[in-house]
Amino acid sequence: VRSILSPPGGGDVLVVDGGMSMRTALMGDQIAKLAVENGWAGVIINGCIRDSAIINTLPLGVKARGTVPVKSLKGHAGEQGVAVAFAGVEFVEGWHVYADEDGVIVSEEELSLEEKE
């Protein structure tokens, strides 16, 4: 996660499929701060984070299955640029992601909050 969030994000959202693991955290406050410094808009993790009290104060949208205080091992680098699906949502690179307190949606086209007449 750190290596992906290190280069400039350009307002993108990183989606990480952690296999619903509740054993270790895939992101903590230091990586979240790195994401903010590099211009990422958010991170969605199908797994856990740690340091949530600090992360919640950052200007970064974060969705995760839960929290756990245990750091992850750095042995698995994962894959980049592949579509992932979890929680009934398919995330495709280049699609738009929208999230609030109630959940996450994705759209192939950019959505607008303006009412159409």
Side-chain angles (χ1 to χ4, degrees):
V1 174
R2 177 185 296 275
S3 65
I4 296 170
L5 294 174
S6 292
D12 287 348
V13 175
L14 174 64
V15 179
V16 179
D17 187 355
M20 295 179 56
S21 175
M22 302 297 282
R23 294 181 311 232
T24 61
L26 296 177
M27 184 176 74
D29 66 322
Q30 296 302 310
I31 294 176
K33 288 175 184 175
L34 180 68
V36 171
E37 291 168 6
N38 291 319
W40 289 83
V43 180
I44 299 172
I45 299 178
N46 186 21
C48 289
I49 63 169
R50 61 190 218 115
D51 308 319
S52 63
I54 296 170
I55 290 173
N56 287 336
T57 67
L58 300 175
L60 180 71
V62 176
K63 292 287 186 191
R65 290 217 171 254
T67 61
V68 65
V70 181
K71 286 184 179 183
S72 66
L73 300 174
K74 309 301 185 252
H76 181 30
E79 298 176 81
Q80 293 183 29
V82 297
V84 296
F86 53 84
V89 178
E90 181 179 13
F91 298 89
V92 178
E93 187 173 4
W95 284 24
H96 302 272
V97 178
Y98 301 91
D100 66 11
E101 296 81 9
D102 296 322
V104 177
I105 62 169
V106 296
S107 173
E108 189 172 2
E109 299 177 15
E110 186 173 3
L111 303 178
S112 173
L113 293 177
E114 296 177 14
E115 290 186 36
K116 294 184 179 181
E117 295 190 28

